[in-house]
């Protein structure tokens, strides 16, 4: 352990084989650098002050010459960023540096420097660190052995950032308000916290749609959400905007500003209260939600056959059916259509189970069911299209393997989906068939759990269940084979196998590989 705080491992020739300065987590120490073109490029915040797993935010030394901050699982895009600082020179190996007197600055190889913080008094003999805190704001801290309070003190933080600025400080369907300069996460009318013990856990609807009750709108003034509108109507009054949303089963919220009507689906993201003349209208109540109502054109199997051009383009084939590429909404939206092809009795059971399970879920790391067809012996499921295929394709078939950072992000996405099914969903769900083939990747390589045909719904207050063996060889937990009651831990076991495959780029069971490493 060096005096700088760098933990270094040497080989027998006194050559460095690993050092902690090359693998930072949330903190930069004096003489440590955050680099532009080589690792390390970014820091991640912790989950909490006491739990130092990867949290919600990251700070990145970008190749365009900007030091920028984003939510941890978002792409490096301006619309996701919430703070940046640059020297406008992208070609000269820019680095973020912290020196012994606390000066924080950007520097390139030509000697061009740009200060973020000028540092403290050298005579104070303080120790310094820069940390990306749990709240998404990075700060320079100092520590002095002669101080009476014996604690780290904040010396500097960007004064242009308040605690509601970090996108993602509040989770889905929440918005952030500042109270005494602290971030407070609030649910919109008609919504309640997912977890009462965690005020930033996100919100879900606290009502069931009733066909005998007309839907109505609650108004929120000056609440701004991430612009993720799927439909924008111009020259539309507020009344006309409400009418358009009432006619659209996909529409849960509309934003009305400058005679523009912006329709949005759930979940709402990155909400905050600020001085902006926008009206948010939250739809509450109304007819009972049914998946087949979402796309009326998909009710008939004939229309679905047209949508897939006669089931022409096959995307994949599994034990119970084949998935085809299709187009709906007048050819504007690409979808995946799954046609169940097992025997009638088995197909009916699998079909109803998938409807029952997915109808209770809504999470960014679960594949979204858009509609279905139940027409005689025809069993068709319509899903969002996942343009980057399955995790199995990426790990075992692609010539270009994902980098470590991307594999970690995929694993975290899957873990979040599992957490939702096990702890945050209205009814606890055991997936029962966690494997790379059932993890799909969208256009941003966000991983989503798919294929709920073998899933098991748990009754309220039920922690374990007895059922026949479910799953795929190589991923099935031991208790299945021992005829023991199973719990959500069977999914955790499968996830462990999945993690090993992600790390090693090899299948858990592969008869073509030698046992030798």
């Amino acid at each position: 352990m060096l005096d700088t705080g760098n933990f270094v491992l040497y080989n027998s020739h006194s050559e460095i084989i690993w050092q902690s300065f090359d693998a930072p987590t949330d903190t930069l120490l004096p003489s440590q650098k955050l680099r532009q073109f080589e690792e390390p490029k970014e820091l991640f915040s912790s989950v909490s002050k006491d739990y130092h797993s990867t949290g919600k935010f990251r700070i990145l030394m970008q190749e365009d010459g900007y030091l920028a901050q984003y939510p941890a699982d978002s792409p490096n895009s301006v619309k996701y960023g919430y703070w940046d600082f640059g020297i406008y020179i992208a070609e000269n190996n820019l680095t973020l540096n912290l020196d012994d007197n606390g000066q924080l600055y950007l520097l390139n190889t030509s000697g061009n420097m740009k200060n973020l913080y000028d540092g403290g008094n050298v005579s104070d003999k303080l120790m310094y660190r820069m940390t990306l805190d749990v709240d998404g704001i990075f700060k320079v801290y100092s520590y002095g052995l002669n101080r009476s309070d014996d604690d780290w003190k904040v010396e500097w933080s960007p004064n242009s950032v308040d605690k509601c600025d970090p996108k993602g400080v509040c989770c889905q369907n929440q918005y952030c308000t500042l109270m005494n300069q602290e971030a407070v996460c609030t649910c919109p009318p008609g919504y309640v916290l997912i977890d009462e013990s965690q005020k930033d856990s996100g919100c879900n609807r606290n009502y069931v749609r009733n066909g005998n009750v007309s839907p109505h709108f609650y108004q929120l003034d000056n609440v701004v959400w991430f612009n993720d509108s799927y439909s924008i109507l111009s020259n539309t009054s507020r009344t006309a905007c409400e009418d358009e949303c009432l006619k659209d089963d996909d529409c849960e919220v509309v934003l009305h500003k400058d005679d523009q009507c912006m329709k949005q689906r759930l979940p709402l993201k990155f909400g905050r209260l600020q001085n902006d003349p926008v009206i948010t209208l939250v739809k509450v109540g109304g007819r009972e939600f049914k998946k087949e109502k979402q796309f009326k054109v998909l009710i008939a199997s004939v229309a679905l056959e047209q949508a897939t051009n006669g089931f022409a383009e096959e995307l994949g084939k599994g034990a119970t059916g084949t998935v085809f590429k299709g187009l709906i909404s007048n050819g504007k939206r690409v979808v995946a259509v799954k046609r169940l092809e097992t025997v009638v009795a088995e197909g009916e059971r699998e079909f109803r189970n998938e409807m029952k399970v997915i109808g209770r879920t809504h999470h960014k790391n679960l594949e979204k069911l858009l509609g279905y067809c139940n027409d005689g012996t025809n069993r068709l499921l319509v899903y969002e299209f996942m343009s980057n295929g399955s995790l199995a394709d990426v790990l075992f078939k692609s010539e270009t393997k994902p980098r470590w950072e991307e594999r970690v992000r995929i694993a975290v996405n899957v873990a979040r989906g599992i957490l939702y099914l096990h702890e945050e969903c209205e009814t606890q769900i055991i997936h029962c068939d966690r494997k790379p083939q059932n993890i799909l990747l969208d256009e941003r390589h966000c991983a989503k759990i798919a294929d709920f045909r073998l899933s098991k719904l748990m009754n309220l207050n039920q922690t374990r269940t007895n059922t026949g063996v479910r799953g795929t060889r190589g991923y099935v937990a031991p208790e299945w084979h021992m005829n023991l009651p199973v719990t959500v831990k069977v999914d955790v076991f499968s996830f462990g196998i999945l993690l090993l495959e992600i790390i090693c780029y090899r299948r858990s069971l592969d008869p073509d590989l030698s046992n030798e490493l």
Side-chain angles (χ1 to χ4, degrees):
M1 176 68 77
L2 304 183
D3 289 343
T4 59
N6 190 13
F7 181 65
V8 184
L9 295 179
Y10 298 92
N11 62 18
S12 57
H13 300 290
S14 297
E15 298 168 335
I16 295 176
I17 58 175
W18 185 87
Q19 56 183 335
S20 62
F21 270 23
D22 288 340
T25 52
D26 62 350
T27 295
L28 204 66
L29 296 177
S31 77
Q32 191 177 9
K33 301 178 186 296
L34 204 62
R35 303 183 182 96
Q36 182 182 19
F37 290 111
E38 57 185 89
E39 300 300 331
K41 292 182 179 180
E42 56 190 348
L43 303 175
F44 288 87
S45 65
S46 295
V47 171
S48 68
K49 291 181 179 179
D50 302 316
Y51 180 30
H52 296 287
S53 182
T54 301
K56 295 180 178 180
F57 309 101
R58 61 194 175 102
I59 185 167
L60 171 69
M61 194 67 254
Q62 296 186 155
E63 294 185 358
D64 62 2
Y66 277 86
L67 181 70
Q69 289 191 263
Y70 300 95
D73 58 354
S74 71
N76 301 338
S77 172
V78 172
K79 66 180 182 178
Y80 289 94
Y82 62 87
W83 181 90
D84 62 67
F85 180 86
I87 200 171
Y88 313 112
I89 298 177
E91 66 277 7
N92 285 336
N93 293 326
L94 200 62
T95 57
L96 175 66
N97 303 265
L98 179 69
D99 67 15
D100 289 333
N101 74 331
Q103 183 181 12
L104 187 67
Y105 58 94
L106 297 180
L107 179 69
N108 64 23
T109 51
S110 300
N112 294 314
M113 177 189 292
K114 192 170 184 180
N115 274 5
L116 284 88
Y117 172 56
D118 293 333
N121 192 327
V122 179
S123 62
D124 288 341
K125 296 181 179 179
L126 300 175
M127 293 184 292
Y128 293 91
R129 62 178 169 91
M130 188 213 88
T131 298
L132 177 56
D133 280 352
V134 172
D135 59 12
I137 301 173
F138 70 96
K139 305 176 181 72
V140 175
Y141 288 87
S142 68
Y143 182 85
L145 294 176
N146 297 325
R147 281 183 179 164
S148 58
D149 56 3
D150 192 30
D151 202 359
W152 288 90
K153 174 186 175 183
V154 176
E155 291 285 343
W156 175 87
S157 66
N159 57 17
S160 60
V161 179
D162 66 47
K163 290 195 174 182
C164 276
D165 278 343
K167 291 180 178 177
V169 67
C170 296
C171 290
Q172 65 176 31
N173 305 327
Q174 287 184 310
Y175 63 94
C176 183
T177 59
L178 279 179
M179 293 187 181
N180 298 322
Q181 302 307 310
E182 294 295 324
V184 176
C185 297
T186 305
C187 296
Y191 289 70
V192 293
L193 283 172
I194 293 173
D195 184 350
E196 287 289 342
S197 66
Q198 299 184 34
K199 301 304 180 183
D200 63 346
S201 60
C203 304
N204 281 337
R205 289 183 297 212
N206 67 342
Y207 64 92
V208 176
R209 292 216 173 152
N210 189 324
N212 298 320
V213 179
S214 298
H216 58 284
F217 291 92
Y218 280 111
Q219 177 176 325
L220 292 173
D221 293 326
N222 308 118
V223 175
V224 179
W225 304 92
F226 182 66
N227 189 2
D228 198 21
S229 304
Y230 67 91
S231 175
I232 300 178
L233 306 174
S234 300
N235 301 317
T236 307
S237 67
R238 170 179 168 166
T239 301
C241 188
E242 290 182 355
D243 290 341
E244 288 293 332
C245 188
L246 289 174
K247 292 185 293 184
D248 186 348
D249 286 338
D250 269 356
C251 180
E252 298 291 344
V253 172
V254 285
L255 310 181
H256 190 256
K257 179 182 179 180
D258 299 332
D259 289 333
Q260 275 199 330
C261 179
M262 295 162 277
K263 298 195 289 186
Q264 298 199 191
R265 302 182 180 94
L266 296 181
L268 300 172
K269 296 181 290 187
F270 308 150
R272 71 159 299 170
L273 181 68
Q274 67 181 40
N275 187 20
D276 191 299
V278 62
I279 296 174
T280 297
L281 301 168
V282 182
K283 185 163 70 174
V284 177
R287 59 179 177 271
E288 186 179 0
F289 183 80
K290 292 183 179 179
K291 290 287 183 180
E292 66 264 33
K293 296 273 188 176
Q294 288 190 315
F295 293 106
K296 295 180 181 178
V297 70
L298 300 181
I299 294 299
S301 59
V302 174
L304 263 172
E305 184 171 0
Q306 293 172 347
T308 60
N309 192 25
F311 300 102
E313 186 174 347
E314 183 177 316
L315 298 177
K317 191 175 182 67
T320 59
T322 306
V323 181
F324 301 90
K325 188 175 182 179
L327 292 171
I328 60 173
S329 301
N330 295 322
K332 295 179 180 178
R333 184 168 190 176
V334 182
V335 294
V337 180
K338 180 179 179 181
R339 183 173 66 188
L340 298 180
E341 298 168 344
T342 53
V343 296
V344 174
E346 181 70 9
E348 178 72 17
R349 185 181 67 82
E350 305 283 12
F351 179 80
R352 292 190 179 277
N353 198 59
E354 194 136 3
M355 292 301 94
K356 183 167 62 174
V357 172
I358 299 183
R360 296 169 181 255
T361 62
H362 191 99
H363 191 272
K364 67 179 181 179
N365 295 121
L366 305 182
E367 186 185 25
K368 186 177 181 181
L369 178 70
L370 302 176
Y372 63 86
C373 169
N374 187 357
D375 184 12
T377 60
N378 293 308
R379 298 290 185 269
L380 302 164
L381 304 171
V382 183
Y383 296 97
E384 61 178 318
F385 179 67
M386 305 295 281
S387 59
N388 280 300
S390 74
L391 179 58
D393 295 334
V394 171
L395 292 179
F396 311 133
K397 297 180 181 180
S398 175
E399 293 183 1
T400 304
K401 302 298 185 183
R403 297 172 59 212
W404 173 250
E405 292 80 8
E406 184 179 347
R407 284 184 283 157
V408 169
R409 192 165 298 169
I410 288 171
V412 170
N413 288 160
V414 177
R416 286 175 175 158
I418 296 172
L419 178 67
Y420 171 79
L421 293 173
H422 291 179
E423 297 185 12
E424 297 173 357
C425 195
E426 181 182 352
T427 302
Q428 192 179 62
I429 298 170
I430 305 176
H431 185 272
C432 300
D433 198 18
R434 194 92 58 205
K435 58 183 179 180
Q437 290 82 354
N438 291 339
I439 306 298
L440 303 181
L441 305 175
D442 67 10
E443 69 278 1
R444 295 191 295 111
H445 283 266
C446 177
K448 302 191 180 189
I449 300 170
D451 197 345
F452 287 80
R453 60 190 176 84
L454 299 182
S455 298
K456 179 70 176 177
L457 281 170
M458 304 284 275
N459 296 325
L460 215 57
N461 301 321
Q462 183 183 10
T463 59
R464 57 186 62 216
T465 182
N466 288 286
T467 185
V469 176
R470 302 184 183 196
T472 301
R473 183 170 172 259
Y475 304 90
V476 176
E479 48 264 49
W480 287 111
H481 301 293
M482 300 168 68
N483 294 321
L484 296 174
V486 297
T487 68
V488 294
K489 292 180 180 179
V490 298
D491 278 351
V492 178
F493 179 91
S494 300
F495 180 64
I497 301 297
L498 182 67
L499 278 180
L500 287 174
E501 294 182 317
I502 291 173
I503 293 169
C504 301
Y505 284 131
R506 58 181 290 183
R507 300 178 187 274
S508 59
L509 291 177
D510 193 338
D512 298 327
L513 288 178
S514 167
N515 289 329
E516 297 180 3
L517 294 177

